[in-house]
Amino acid sequence: MVDYNEVGSRIRQTRVEQGITQEELAFQINTSAAYISNIERGIKKPSLQKLSDIADIFHVTVNDLIYEKSSNEANPLVEDEIQSLLSLCKPDKQKRLKNNIMDLLQILITD
């Protein structure tokens, strides 16, 4: 189960670490600063698309925003291998893969 208070806290922490204001983030993902504030406080549950947009702005993964990182969870070798495989695909195929992964995550999140 997703803890949206934690998701909001991670978004706030990452935003502050990167020196981005709520207004700037809201503008970049085409929403309001009040909505960002509500997400960060766990009042609103962002859609997977909004989470993906936020993750893109922060240059992190959706998983980074949803799940707590554990010391054994991050594996740079696996991430490098995935990135290497993705680089073999044309941009339109990369976008399709991203959309398919987002669909899978949506199914897993709602379980």
Side-chain angles (χ1 to χ4, degrees):
M1 181 137 234
V2 176
D3 183 342
Y4 285 97
N5 288 320
E6 285 297 319
V7 171
S9 178
R10 287 186 195 98
I11 290 171
R12 181 183 325 104
Q13 179 182 356
T14 306
R15 179 181 58 74
V16 170
E17 287 172 356
Q18 294 190 13
I20 300 171
T21 66
Q22 287 181 342
E23 291 80 10
E24 291 168 335
L25 180 58
F27 178 78
Q28 291 183 50
I29 66 166
N30 196 29
T31 192
S32 69
Y35 182 70
I36 298 298
S37 176
N38 285 336
I39 290 172
E40 289 183 354
R41 291 181 290 139
I43 294 170
K44 293 282 187 181
K45 297 178 182 180
S47 68
L48 186 56
Q49 183 60 54
K50 286 296 182 196
L51 277 176
S52 177
D53 293 344
I54 292 169
D56 287 346
I57 299 300
F58 292 160
H59 304 289
V60 299
T61 67
V62 172
N63 276 352
D64 292 334
L65 299 177
I66 294 175
Y67 300 108
E68 182 177 2
K69 293 179 186 174
S70 66
S71 58
N72 62 356
E73 194 172 298
N75 187 337
L77 295 175
V78 172
E79 291 175 11
D80 289 346
E81 184 177 357
I82 292 170
Q83 186 60 42
S84 177
L85 291 170
L86 283 174
S87 71
L88 299 173
C89 300
K90 293 181 181 179
D92 63 318
K93 299 289 185 189
Q94 289 180 7
K95 186 172 182 168
R96 285 181 60 196
L97 280 168
K98 177 185 172 187
N99 290 338
N100 287 338
I101 291 168
M102 287 176 52
D103 290 343
L104 271 171
L105 282 172
Q106 184 66 43
I107 291 166
L108 294 173
I109 290 169
T110 57
D111 281 349

